[in-house]
Structures are given as C-alpha cells and as structure tokens.
Amino acid sequence: MTLQPHGPAPYTTVAAAITVLDAYRDRGASGPLTVDSVIRSGVAESLASRTLNSLKQLGLLDEGNKPTQQFEDFRLARGDEEYRNRLQEWLRGVYADVLHYADPSTDSPDKIAEAFRTYEPASQKKGMASLLLGLWRYAGLPATSPERSVASAPRKPRPATVTTSATARLASTP
C-alpha cells in the first residue's frame, strides 16, 4: 500500500507506532488489533485510536484491524538485519510519493512536512513528518536531526513564587 496524495496520512506518535510494531513482532496477535490491545501493548489510551488508524493507513492492518501480510512479514523476519531491511523496503514503498519531494536522510523536518502538503488532515503535516522521520530512524536509515522550533525549545526555569496563602501564613507567623 502506498500513501496517496489528497488522501489521509498517518500521524500518530513515533513512540506509539514503535510500541505496537515491537509488541506485534515479539508476541503476535491472535485476532484483530483493538484499542484495548494497543493500550495493553503500552500505548497511551489517548493515542490508541489514532495509532490503529495510522497502522491501517500504513498498510499494516486491514479494514477489520487484522494484521496484513506485510505486518506478518515483519514479525517473521529472522534477526535484526532482516527486520531492518524489510522495514526499509516497506517505508520506501508506502511513502514513495512523499519521498519524491523530500529525503529524510538529508532534508529538514520542515521540508519533509511540506512534502505532506496534499495529505489530510492538513493541520497534521508536522505530525506526519515526525512519524516518517521516527520510522526512518527506527528502520536504521540515516535521518536528519529534528530541528527545535522556538515553541519546543526548553524554557528557562522560573523562580519559585510564593502563593498568596503561603504569604498569609508567613505573615501571621510571629
């Protein structure tokens, strides 16, 4: 399966996607993946539905949330090298359209996000790019370092302030 322009693209967190990939690789699944099984694998409840949808969009789950042959091939890969090779091949296929416009090995996260311009939801381009970059690294491919934006830069610690009730207690103490 390949992501299609003007269609949906996955944007769950990298950690959630990798958690499910690792859990399925280690334990498999006896049936369809559910919100509950995704949560039990270690994904936050608030991300479980988004993660299931992302796995569908990536071609790892069918419409009934059953693992596809691609997902099963990951589980059956022998050793880390074979697993990484399968992941790399899959990523290049599923993200083929995006990779036509941006290269996660050399381009900035902003340029990668711009390559998702025609995908839905438009407000999640940065999340889509972040997922691609994270999966790219997870597959053992070289990736650019994420650039920190001003909004995500660490804040300087604020000096401790005394609350009004604490001030009142201190003032009433002889």
Side-chain angles (χ1 to χ4, degrees):
M1 173 179 214
T2 302
L3 297 178
Q4 298 298 314
H6 308 290
Y11 60 94
T12 193
T13 66
V14 176
I18 290 172
T19 295
V20 176
L21 284 167
D22 288 346
Y24 185 71
R25 179 159 164 73
D26 292 341
R27 297 186 292 276
S30 59
L33 270 65
T34 64
V35 168
D36 288 338
S37 65
V38 169
I39 292 168
R40 280 194 308 274
S41 71
V43 174
E45 184 176 351
S46 60
L47 292 172
S49 290
R50 182 186 319 172
T51 302
L52 279 173
N53 286 334
S54 293
L55 293 172
K56 282 182 191 176
Q57 292 161 351
L58 290 168
L60 299 178
L61 296 177
D62 66 17
E63 288 305 314
N65 288 345
K66 293 180 185 168
T68 62
Q69 187 60 51
Q70 178 68 61
F71 209 0
E72 186 65 11
D73 288 346
F74 291 160
R75 189 181 71 76
L76 297 174
R78 295 181 182 184
D80 289 340
E81 185 176 349
E82 182 180 342
Y83 182 58
R84 279 192 307 276
N85 288 338
R86 287 182 185 208
L87 285 170
Q88 291 171 11
E89 181 181 336
W90 165 73
L91 282 170
R92 287 184 177 111
V94 78
Y95 283 105
D97 176 66
V98 173
L99 296 174
H100 182 72
Y101 299 98
D103 181 352
S105 297
T106 58
D107 290 333
S108 72
D110 286 340
K111 183 169 182 181
I112 297 165
E114 187 59 27
F116 283 98
R117 178 166 287 281
T118 62
Y119 290 87
E120 296 295 327
S123 62
Q124 293 296 331
K125 288 188 308 185
K126 288 189 182 222
M128 295 169 194
S130 178
L131 180 59
L132 171 56
L133 273 168
L135 291 173
W136 200 258
R137 283 187 194 94
Y138 176 72
L141 293 163
T144 57
S145 299
E147 294 174 358
R148 296 194 117 183
S149 67
V150 174
S152 65
R155 295 181 182 174
K156 293 181 182 176
R158 294 188 332 192
T161 57
V162 180
T163 63
T164 307
S165 59
T167 306
R169 276 184 281 158
L170 288 173
S172 66
T173 308

